[in-house]
Amino acid sequence: MKTLSDTWSWLTTATHWSGPDGIWNRLGEHLFLTVVCLLISCLIALPVALVLGHLGKGGALAVNISNIGRAVPTFAVLVLLLLTPVGTYGQWSTIIALVLFAVPPLLTNAYVGMREVDRDVVRAARGMGMTGRQMLWSVELPLALPLILTGVRIAAVQLVATATLAALAGGGGLGRIITAGFNLASTPQVVAGAILVAVFALLVESLFEAGQRMAPSRGREAA
């Protein structure tokens, strides 16, 4: 109970929320890192998954390769990148490690979403004279959107949780609060950092859940 009360005291101390090492600044760094990695991951994974899902070729190979990436610990990838010349370019080693971590759920969900579109609907669209591009954008993508958003949600939550590793590479984010707590042997600060990361992840999860509730109706309307 003392740890919890000390943690609450740490979180409610105004000085811990301001300044370069304050919670607001670390939260902004964490959010920036998460958004940048998520955008890069989406730009890499979604076009590949949409095209392969539309064509129905090569998707299984791409999904299996991306799933192999899941088996490699992000921390191990980060350490290896830090030992290469990439490690000398600021946070790029962290960004690359996190992008590799976020691509598999995006690629898998988007591909499966495209392939699970009702084939009768696709054939009907083709029978109406739609081109491949028109079917992709006007039929398949809207119907696959809920599953695609599920992949984005999973990737976003995973990135929020895993971005704490950036602190180990000298980067910013809420992980710095945790590492600083370890360095100071301050258990309340370590627990406070962990709570902040958990709350941030739950908030991101809730936002995407709300977005997903809106997606199916739009998909049906577009179809």
Side-chain angles (χ1 to χ4, degrees), residues 15 26 32 37 54 70 81 92 99-100 105-106 110 127 146 157 165 169 172 190 223:
T15 54
R26 294 305 183 196
F32 176 78
C37 291
H54 172 70
R70 291 180 175 181
L81 288 171
W92 275 108
V99 166
L100 292 175
L106 290 167
V157 174
L165 293 176
V190 173

Side-chain angles (χ1 to χ4, degrees), residues 2-207:
K2 187 176 185 308
T3 300
L4 291 177
S5 62
D6 290 344
T7 300
W8 176 254
S9 176
W10 194 94
L11 284 170
T12 53
T13 301
T15 54
H16 291 155
W17 289 80
S18 59
D21 293 327
I23 294 172
W24 286 122
N25 186 50
R26 294 305 183 196
L27 182 61
E29 294 172 343
H30 206 99
L31 178 62
F32 176 78
L33 187 60
T34 299
V35 171
V36 167
C37 291
L38 184 62
L39 287 176
I40 295 174
S41 303
C42 288
L43 289 174
I44 293 172
L46 295 185
V48 174
L50 295 181
V51 171
L52 293 179
H54 172 70
L55 297 175
K57 297 178 181 177
L61 178 62
V63 170
N64 287 330
I65 291 175
S66 70
N67 285 337
I68 291 173
R70 291 180 175 181
V72 182
T74 306
F75 182 66
V77 175
L78 178 59
V79 171
L80 291 174
L81 288 171
L82 287 172
L83 297 176
T84 67
V86 178
T88 60
Y89 292 96
Q91 294 199 58
W92 275 108
S93 54
T94 304
I95 292 173
I96 293 172
L98 291 176
V99 166
L100 292 175
F101 179 68
V103 162
L106 290 167
L107 184 61
T108 302
N109 280 60
Y111 176 77
V112 172
M114 292 290 287
R115 295 309 301 163
E116 285 191 350
V117 171
D118 192 335
R119 291 299 101 185
D120 288 338
V121 175
V122 175
R123 282 190 286 271
R126 188 179 291 114
M128 292 171 64
M130 283 189 172
T131 63
R133 179 174 296 185
Q134 288 174 325
M135 286 194 296
L136 170 62
W137 290 106
S138 303
V139 178
E140 293 172 306
L141 179 58
L143 292 174
L145 192 57
L147 204 50
I148 294 173
L149 287 177
T150 298
V152 176
R153 174 175 58 81
I154 293 171
V157 174
Q158 288 181 342
L159 282 173
V160 169
T162 313
T164 53
L165 293 176
L168 301 177
L174 294 173
R176 289 294 291 271
I177 295 175
I178 298 174
T179 55
F182 277 120
N183 292 334
L184 297 170
S186 171
T187 302
Q189 183 170 344
V190 173
V191 176
I195 290 174
L196 289 169
V197 173
V199 170
F200 188 26
L202 288 173
L203 181 61
V204 170
E205 170 88 12
S206 300
L207 289 174

